[in-house]
Amino acid sequence: MTDQLVERLEIVRERIDAARARGAGQKVQLIAVSKNHAVEKLQTLYDAGVRAFGESYVQEWQAKRKELPDDVEWHFIGALQSNKAKYLVGRAALIHSLDRKSLMKAVQKRAEAPVAMLVQVNLGKEAAKSGIGLEELEEFLLRTEAYPKVSVRGLMGVVPYAENPEENRPYFRSLAQKAGELREKFAGSHPALAESLKELSMGMSDDFEIAIEEGATMVRLGTILFGERKYDE
Ligand SMILES: *Cc1c(COP(=O)(O)O)cnc(C)c1O
C-alpha cells in the first residue's frame, strides 16, 4: 500500500511537470485531497514530501489535524457553513470555498488575522454545486473589500463531470481569462484586489493536466493518488 501510494505520487508529479511544460511553465502546487482517507495514508504522503492536504469536512479534518505534523498546510475545499468558519480561521492555510457574503461576514467576525481564501466559481452553473457564476465575479470580488479579514488569493473553479475531460477545457480557459481581465480592470482603481488574483485552483484527478495547460496554479487530486474513496467505512 505504502509503495503504491508513493509510486502514484511520483507518476502524478511527472504528469504535472509535463503539463506545465505544455502550459505556461507556471508553478503548480499539488494538493492531496485526503477526505475519506485514513491518516496513515496521509502520513505516507507526508513522508514522501507532500505538505499540502485538502479536506472537505470540518470534523474529519479536525481529527486528522491532531495526528499529523504541525507543518502540514491544510486546504479546506468543501462547502463551509458560516458557523463552522471559526474552526478554520488561523488553522487552514487556504480556504478554497468562499462563495457567499455571509461567509465573508463570519470570517470577518471570527478572525484575528486576515484569512487566505479563494472565491469559488461554479463554471457549469450546476445546481448541486456551490460557487458563484462567472458573471457575478467582479461584483463579488469588490464586495470582499469591505471585509479586511478576508484575504482573497485567487479563484477556485468547479466544473461538471465529463466523460471526456477535454469538454472542460473551455471552462478552465474561461476562468483563467476572467482572472486576467479582472486583474487588468482592477489595476488602476483597486490595485490590492488586482494583485490578489494570483492563484487558480482548478483541475481534479480526471482533468488536472488540461487545467494546468490552461493556467492552473493549484490542482486538487484525490482519487488518482489515494484510489477510490469508500464512503461506507
Ligand atoms: C473531492 C474533491 C476533489 C478531488 O477529487 P478527485 O476526483 O478524487 O481527484 C477536488 N476538489 C474538490 C472540491 C473536491 O471536493
Side-chain angles (χ1 to χ4, degrees), residues 33 35 56 77-78 120 156 158 203-206 220-224 227 229 231:
V33 174
K35 63 182 183 217
S56 302
I77 64 171
Q120 181 170 335
M156 182 270 222
V158 289
M204 312 192 345
S205 290
D206 289 333
R220 309 181 305 267
L221 304 181
T223 310
I224 197 170
R229 287 179 286 274
Y231 284 98

Side-chain angles (χ1 to χ4, degrees), residues 20-32:
R20 285 175 56 221
R22 292 192 299 273
Q26 76 275 22
K27 265 182 122 178
V28 176
Q29 186 179 22
L30 162 65
I31 298 166

